[in-house]
Amino acid sequence: MNKILCFLIMLSFSSYATDDKGIKFTQGSWSEILNEAKKQNKLIFIDIYTTWCGPCKMMSAKVFTENSVGEKFNESFINYKIDAEKGEGIELAKTYAIAAYPTYLFVNGGGELVYRAMGAMPAEKFLVEADKAILAGKGYKSSDELEKEFKAGKRDADFLYEYMKRKSLNGGENAALLEEYLKAIPVSQHKTEKVLALISENIGTIESKAFIILRDALDRYLNMTASQQKYVLNGISKAKRNTFKKAIDNRDKALLERLIDAVRATSYSEAGFEAEEKQFRLEYAKITRDSDNFKKIATKETAKLMARTSEDLVAETQLKIMNFREGAKAKNLDESTPQFKMILDNLTDNAQKSTSFQLNEYAWGYVQMIKNEKDLEEALKWSERAIELVESPANLDTYAILLSKLGRKKEAIKAEKKAIKLAKKEGGDTKDLQQTLKDIKRS
């Protein structure tokens, strides 16, 4: 009986690789894998994937099968492969905050995430990631140990840095910790790539020391490395998004205005500032259902959009295509590549599509927020122009609802039926459109 049991246990941990090449993945439940990691005192390498992920399949077929990769991973880790959308994979994806695929996790026997890597990569880079994971696992302190030290008052810069990186690894929020860290280091270190990267990852709102550091860094932007520039811009963008979310959550118009001031302070041109300001104000008005401010923005912007003639739009599109072709030629980009053709296709009728989309967005805002008949008549004009430029199910749906709100039921039904017919022709989902048609008929 003992021999049989021993055989079954060995079988459950057998590799399902069919030959000696590449990574040998171990089968078993997650709890069994954890126990095996404790027993062998190794980290667990988890390839967490989905069946629809092309890069996941590429890694499995081309990289995991490399001899050098197999040697490194089979010697250093307990290797485990799991579908994020099935069985225990669903819970693991939640536990380790998986946001993209493929993701590679390096977990210790206690279930703590030690290192994370993402994306498809060549074998050489994958081996470098393995070495980083092995290094991270040496002298590893548990999250509980770090938490106890923090609560006990440990605040030196090296400790705060390690603590923040650990919390980031596990999806934690670090904005307050970042502020403490910045106080613990000399000002001369603020410009270093290490600190700029940390700020970019953990920044809170525009009302933080971290944001001031990034804002002031723009003065020496051209003298920075490419990586430093990336961290500065990403951090500023993240701080603005965080601030906007806070303004929305608290319905805080004063904070929105401070955000707009920050946008002006970090914009390189007046045109760039105006575009970003408009977007923030518009989104705030839409989300908070601030009909007065939405109407104010819509009235101003649609006047410009409606004034653009078809000739203007064609000329603008042609200019964009010409600029793209000249830029591609200067960079020796091959016109026969799929990427070139895709960009060129997207630029076709670009100005017409963009104008149509914007007009429909403003008209749809009136559908949701405005009741005044005169205003709805104005929105109907925008909707008609949007359809004239691009006849799409979304544009026709907005038009139909506006007609219905104005009491023009027969025309509304006709427009909605046309939207459904077009959506079917394009292979789109018509469920919502069908429901709208029923609602119009009942009105």
Side-chain angles (χ1 to χ4, degrees), residues 304-305 307-320 347 349-356 359 385 389:
K304 299 176 190 174
L305 294 168
R308 303 174 81 189
T309 66
S310 296
E311 290 75 18
D312 292 336
L313 298 175
V314 169
E316 183 181 323
T317 293
Q318 289 175 342
L319 180 61
K320 286 181 179 179
L347 285 174
D349 297 330
N350 180 268
Q352 296 92 317
K353 291 173 186 173
S354 174
T355 302
S356 175
L359 285 169
R385 176 59 173 157
L389 292 170

Side-chain angles (χ1 to χ4, degrees), residues 62-78:
K62 303 290 185 183
V63 178
F64 295 172
T65 53
E66 288 270 342
N67 283 332
S68 58
V69 171
E71 288 172 9
K72 169 75 76 175
F73 278 74
N74 296 335
E75 179 186 347
S76 306
F77 309 110
I78 304 295

